[in-house]
Amino acid sequence: QQQVKQSPQSLIVQKGGISIINCAYENTAFDYFPWYQQFPGKGPALLIAIRPDVSEKKEGRFTISFNKSAKQFSLHIMDSQPGDSATYFCAAANFGNEKLTFGTGTRLTIIP
Amino acid sequence: NAGVMQNPRHLVRRRGQEARLRCSPMKGHSHVYWYRQLPEEGLKFMVYLQKENIIDESGMPKERFSAEFPKEGPSILRIQQVVRGDSAAYFCASSPPPGMGYEQYFGPGTRLTVT
């Protein structure tokens, strides 16, 4: 049973635009939600993470929005740049049982 | 400040051979996780270990796969009698001890090809 659903599967955004990737989870015990960025041939790199006690977290051009009642969270990349072209994975974990459950990934392409 | 190290980066094995994948966690990290990524898919949890102890192996296949994290040395993921379906990228992640953060940092992965 897939516990974290991610959409879209692929996304093309113009340079300078806003990239938005969405995730929904089922397990209400999840209380830690990180986003990872992965370039081809590389390992996932932790980008930003949020706990459910806040509805939004911003780090530079990256923002996580979190809706606990809807069991959804999203990644917003402002002023998207060609260097942001990568695959992005959302994940979730239950603090105390720290294994990450990943979404299926979004391949983001930023075009000039 | 070295990150998570994995070796080898690429490993080719014939069907029936054994594969050994090694992972050294970040300095100060005492917990190690192994994940498997099939082509064009997300990462799937396999096993969670701390020194000399398996915490959670709920994602490990029941046969042919084993993992350890000895008191000294790297964590080892061992796959016996490999089959073509084992071809994947295997990633190791590490995290600090409980109470000091729960971020997981990933290594560069080992890409296993079974011929």
Side-chain angles (χ1 to χ4, degrees), chain B residues 1 9 28 41 45 48 50 52 60 72 79 89 95 97 103-104 107-108:
Chain B
N1 192 10
R9 295 292 307 277
E41 291 189 14
F45 167 79
Y48 167 29
Q50 64 180 147
E52 298 184 286
M60 286 278 272
E72 300 291 337
I79 311 172
S95 66
E103 297 86 359
Q104 291 184 28

PDB file of all heavy atoms in Angstrom, chain B residues 1 9 28 41 45 48 50 52 60 72 79 89 95 97 103-104 107-108:
ATOM      1  N   ASN B   1      34.746  17.698   6.539  1.00  0.00           N
ATOM      2  CA  ASN B   1      33.642  16.985   7.175  1.00  0.00           C
ATOM      3  C   ASN B   1      33.013  16.065   6.147  1.00  0.00           C
ATOM      4  O   ASN B   1      32.128  16.448   5.400  1.00  0.00           O
ATOM      5  CB  ASN B   1      32.635  17.990   7.698  1.00  0.00           C
ATOM      6  CG  ASN B   1      31.621  17.343   8.608  1.00  0.00           C
ATOM      7  OD1 ASN B   1      31.790  16.188   8.989  1.00  0.00           O
ATOM      8  ND2 ASN B   1      30.581  18.048   8.956  1.00  0.00           N
ATOM      9  N   ARG B   9      31.048   2.169  -5.985  1.00  0.00           N
ATOM     10  CA  ARG B   9      30.017   3.001  -6.607  1.00  0.00           C
ATOM     11  C   ARG B   9      29.258   2.200  -7.667  1.00  0.00           C
ATOM     12  O   ARG B   9      28.071   2.404  -7.881  1.00  0.00           O
ATOM     13  CB  ARG B   9      30.651   4.230  -7.240  1.00  0.00           C
ATOM     14  CG  ARG B   9      31.287   5.179  -6.241  1.00  0.00           C
ATOM     15  CD  ARG B   9      30.239   5.851  -5.350  1.00  0.00           C
ATOM     16  NE  ARG B   9      29.198   6.480  -6.139  1.00  0.00           N
ATOM     17  CZ  ARG B   9      29.303   7.682  -6.674  1.00  0.00           C
ATOM     18  NH1 ARG B   9      30.387   8.395  -6.502  1.00  0.00           N
ATOM     19  NH2 ARG B   9      28.299   8.183  -7.387  1.00  0.00           N
ATOM     20  N   GLY B  28      30.013  11.132  13.685  1.00  0.00           N
ATOM     21  CA  GLY B  28      29.074  11.472  14.746  1.00  0.00           C
ATOM     22  C   GLY B  28      27.715  10.832  14.608  1.00  0.00           C
ATOM     23  O   GLY B  28      26.889  10.910  15.517  1.00  0.00           O
ATOM     24  N   GLU B  41      11.959   4.798 -10.230  1.00  0.00           N
ATOM     25  CA  GLU B  41      11.070   4.664  -9.075  1.00  0.00           C
ATOM     26  C   GLU B  41      11.635   5.402  -7.876  1.00  0.00           C
ATOM     27  O   GLU B  41      12.783   5.849  -7.858  1.00  0.00           O
ATOM     28  CB  GLU B  41      10.870   3.183  -8.726  1.00  0.00           C
ATOM     29  CG  GLU B  41      10.071   2.412  -9.758  1.00  0.00           C
ATOM     30  CD  GLU B  41       9.720   1.015  -9.277  1.00  0.00           C
ATOM     31  OE1 GLU B  41       9.861   0.756  -8.068  1.00  0.00           O
ATOM     32  OE2 GLU B  41       9.309   0.197 -10.119  1.00  0.00           O
ATOM     33  N   PHE B  45      12.498   1.660   1.640  1.00  0.00           N
ATOM     34  CA  PHE B  45      13.227   1.327   2.855  1.00  0.00           C
ATOM     35  C   PHE B  45      13.517  -0.168   2.907  1.00  0.00           C
ATOM     36  O   PHE B  45      12.666  -0.995   2.560  1.00  0.00           O
ATOM     37  CB  PHE B  45      12.406   1.731   4.073  1.00  0.00           C
ATOM     38  CG  PHE B  45      12.903   1.183   5.374  1.00  0.00           C
ATOM     39  CD1 PHE B  45      13.986   1.769   6.017  1.00  0.00           C
ATOM     40  CD2 PHE B  45      12.304   0.072   5.947  1.00  0.00           C
ATOM     41  CE1 PHE B  45      14.445   1.265   7.223  1.00  0.00           C
ATOM     42  CE2 PHE B  45      12.754  -0.441   7.150  1.00  0.00           C
ATOM     43  CZ  PHE B  45      13.823   0.153   7.786  1.00  0.00           C
ATOM     44  N   TYR B  48      17.139  -0.707   9.013  1.00  0.00           N
ATOM     45  CA  TYR B  48      17.595   0.386   9.871  1.00  0.00           C
ATOM     46  C   TYR B  48      18.451  -0.241  10.967  1.00  0.00           C
ATOM     47  O   TYR B  48      17.995  -1.143  11.670  1.00  0.00           O
ATOM     48  CB  TYR B  48      16.371   1.107  10.421  1.00  0.00           C
ATOM     49  CG  TYR B  48      16.553   2.087  11.555  1.00  0.00           C
ATOM     50  CD1 TYR B  48      17.728   2.797  11.748  1.00  0.00           C
ATOM     51  CD2 TYR B  48      15.491   2.312  12.435  1.00  0.00           C
ATOM     52  CE1 TYR B  48      17.852   3.699  12.797  1.00  0.00           C
ATOM     53  CE2 TYR B  48      15.600   3.220  13.488  1.00  0.00           C
ATOM     54  CZ  TYR B  48      16.784   3.906  13.667  1.00  0.00           C
ATOM     55  OH  TYR B  48      16.901   4.804  14.706  1.00  0.00           O
ATOM     56  N   GLN B  50      21.673   0.289  14.094  1.00  0.00           N
ATOM     57  CA  GLN B  50      22.660   1.029  14.855  1.00  0.00           C
ATOM     58  C   GLN B  50      23.779   0.032  15.173  1.00  0.00           C
ATOM     59  O   GLN B  50      23.665  -1.150  14.871  1.00  0.00           O
ATOM     60  CB  GLN B  50      22.073   1.658  16.107  1.00  0.00           C
ATOM     61  CG  GLN B  50      21.558   0.683  17.121  1.00  0.00           C
ATOM     62  CD  GLN B  50      20.985   1.373  18.344  1.00  0.00           C
ATOM     63  OE1 GLN B  50      20.054   0.885  18.926  1.00  0.00           O
ATOM     64  NE2 GLN B  50      21.527   2.491  18.735  1.00  0.00           N
ATOM     65  N   GLU B  52      25.921  -2.740  16.026  1.00  0.00           N
ATOM     66  CA  GLU B  52      25.718  -4.100  16.560  1.00  0.00           C
ATOM     67  C   GLU B  52      24.247  -4.435  16.803  1.00  0.00           C
ATOM     68  O   GLU B  52      23.933  -5.370  17.553  1.00  0.00           O
ATOM     69  CB  GLU B  52      26.500  -4.273  17.865  1.00  0.00           C
ATOM     70  CG  GLU B  52      28.002  -4.117  17.698  1.00  0.00           C
ATOM     71  CD  GLU B  52      28.762  -4.391  18.966  1.00  0.00           C
ATOM     72  OE1 GLU B  52      28.721  -3.538  19.887  1.00  0.00           O
ATOM     73  OE2 GLU B  52      29.372  -5.468  19.061  1.00  0.00           O
ATOM     74  N   MET B  60      13.311  -5.630   4.306  1.00  0.00           N
ATOM     75  CA  MET B  60      14.288  -6.558   3.726  1.00  0.00           C
ATOM     76  C   MET B  60      13.572  -7.792   3.183  1.00  0.00           C
ATOM     77  O   MET B  60      12.732  -8.380   3.867  1.00  0.00           O
ATOM     78  CB  MET B  60      15.282  -7.008   4.796  1.00  0.00           C
ATOM     79  CG  MET B  60      16.277  -5.949   5.178  1.00  0.00           C
ATOM     80  SD  MET B  60      17.649  -5.859   4.052  1.00  0.00           S
ATOM     81  CE  MET B  60      18.719  -7.077   4.826  1.00  0.00           C
ATOM     82  N   GLU B  72      33.056  -1.961  14.927  1.00  0.00           N
ATOM     83  CA  GLU B  72      34.114  -1.280  14.190  1.00  0.00           C
ATOM     84  C   GLU B  72      33.890  -1.504  12.697  1.00  0.00           C
ATOM     85  O   GLU B  72      33.575  -2.611  12.279  1.00  0.00           O
ATOM     86  CB  GLU B  72      35.486  -1.834  14.585  1.00  0.00           C
ATOM     87  CG  GLU B  72      35.824  -1.671  16.069  1.00  0.00           C
ATOM     88  CD  GLU B  72      36.038  -0.230  16.460  1.00  0.00           C
ATOM     89  OE1 GLU B  72      36.366   0.592  15.562  1.00  0.00           O
ATOM     90  OE2 GLU B  72      35.864   0.095  17.650  1.00  0.00           O
ATOM     91  N   ILE B  79      24.049  -9.388  -0.363  1.00  0.00           N
ATOM     92  CA  ILE B  79      23.028 -10.061  -1.174  1.00  0.00           C
ATOM     93  C   ILE B  79      23.643 -11.352  -1.700  1.00  0.00           C
ATOM     94  O   ILE B  79      24.622 -11.319  -2.462  1.00  0.00           O
ATOM     95  CB  ILE B  79      22.557  -9.181  -2.353  1.00  0.00           C
ATOM     96  CG1 ILE B  79      22.201  -7.772  -1.883  1.00  0.00           C
ATOM     97  CG2 ILE B  79      21.349  -9.833  -3.035  1.00  0.00           C
ATOM     98  CD1 ILE B  79      21.904  -6.799  -3.025  1.00  0.00           C
ATOM     99  N   ALA B  89      19.835   0.669  -7.677  1.00  0.00           N
ATOM    100  CA  ALA B  89      20.761   1.523  -6.922  1.00  0.00           C
ATOM    101  C   ALA B  89      20.450   1.339  -5.449  1.00  0.00           C
ATOM    102  O   ALA B  89      19.281   1.400  -5.046  1.00  0.00           O
ATOM    103  CB  ALA B  89      20.609   2.981  -7.326  1.00  0.00           C
ATOM    104  N   SER B  95      21.994   9.059  10.257  1.00  0.00           N
ATOM    105  CA  SER B  95      21.382  10.121  11.058  1.00  0.00           C
ATOM    106  C   SER B  95      22.060  10.177  12.419  1.00  0.00           C
ATOM    107  O   SER B  95      22.694   9.211  12.852  1.00  0.00           O
ATOM    108  CB  SER B  95      19.875   9.872  11.221  1.00  0.00           C
ATOM    109  OG  SER B  95      19.629   8.708  11.989  1.00  0.00           O
ATOM    110  N   PRO B  97      22.433  10.423  16.628  1.00  0.00           N
ATOM    111  CA  PRO B  97      21.795   9.629  17.683  1.00  0.00           C
ATOM    112  C   PRO B  97      20.443  10.226  18.062  1.00  0.00           C
ATOM    113  O   PRO B  97      20.199  11.424  17.842  1.00  0.00           O
ATOM    114  CB  PRO B  97      22.786   9.731  18.851  1.00  0.00           C
ATOM    115  CG  PRO B  97      24.082  10.105  18.227  1.00  0.00           C
ATOM    116  CD  PRO B  97      23.736  10.920  17.029  1.00  0.00           C
ATOM    117  N   GLU B 103      17.313  14.125  10.782  1.00  0.00           N
ATOM    118  CA  GLU B 103      17.564  14.239   9.347  1.00  0.00           C
ATOM    119  C   GLU B 103      18.421  13.077   8.879  1.00  0.00           C
ATOM    120  O   GLU B 103      19.387  12.700   9.538  1.00  0.00           O
ATOM    121  CB  GLU B 103      18.284  15.557   9.038  1.00  0.00           C
ATOM    122  CG  GLU B 103      17.493  16.800   9.365  1.00  0.00           C
ATOM    123  CD  GLU B 103      17.636  17.245  10.816  1.00  0.00           C
ATOM    124  OE1 GLU B 103      18.360  16.554  11.571  1.00  0.00           O
ATOM    125  OE2 GLU B 103      17.033  18.257  11.196  1.00  0.00           O
ATOM    126  N   GLN B 104      18.056  12.536   7.730  1.00  0.00           N
ATOM    127  CA  GLN B 104      18.836  11.461   7.134  1.00  0.00           C
ATOM    128  C   GLN B 104      19.611  12.019   5.947  1.00  0.00           C
ATOM    129  O   GLN B 104      19.043  12.677   5.076  1.00  0.00           O
ATOM    130  CB  GLN B 104      17.931  10.316   6.675  1.00  0.00           C
ATOM    131  CG  GLN B 104      17.306   9.558   7.832  1.00  0.00           C
ATOM    132  CD  GLN B 104      16.488   8.375   7.383  1.00  0.00           C
ATOM    133  OE1 GLN B 104      16.744   7.778   6.325  1.00  0.00           O
ATOM    134  NE2 GLN B 104      15.495   8.013   8.168  1.00  0.00           N
ATOM    135  N   GLY B 107      24.254   8.765   1.038  1.00  0.00           N
ATOM    136  CA  GLY B 107      25.481   8.605   0.294  1.00  0.00           C
ATOM    137  C   GLY B 107      25.215   8.622  -1.199  1.00  0.00           C
ATOM    138  O   GLY B 107      24.065   8.742  -1.643  1.00  0.00           O
ATOM    139  N   PRO B 108      26.274   8.456  -2.005  1.00  0.00           N
ATOM    140  CA  PRO B 108      26.130   8.529  -3.464  1.00  0.00           C
ATOM    141  C   PRO B 108      25.536   7.272  -4.088  1.00  0.00           C
ATOM    142  O   PRO B 108      25.176   7.287  -5.263  1.00  0.00           O
ATOM    143  CB  PRO B 108      27.564   8.734  -3.946  1.00  0.00           C
ATOM    144  CG  PRO B 108      28.400   8.097  -2.884  1.00  0.00           C
ATOM    145  CD  PRO B 108      27.670   8.325  -1.592  1.00  0.00           C
TER     146      PRO B 108
END
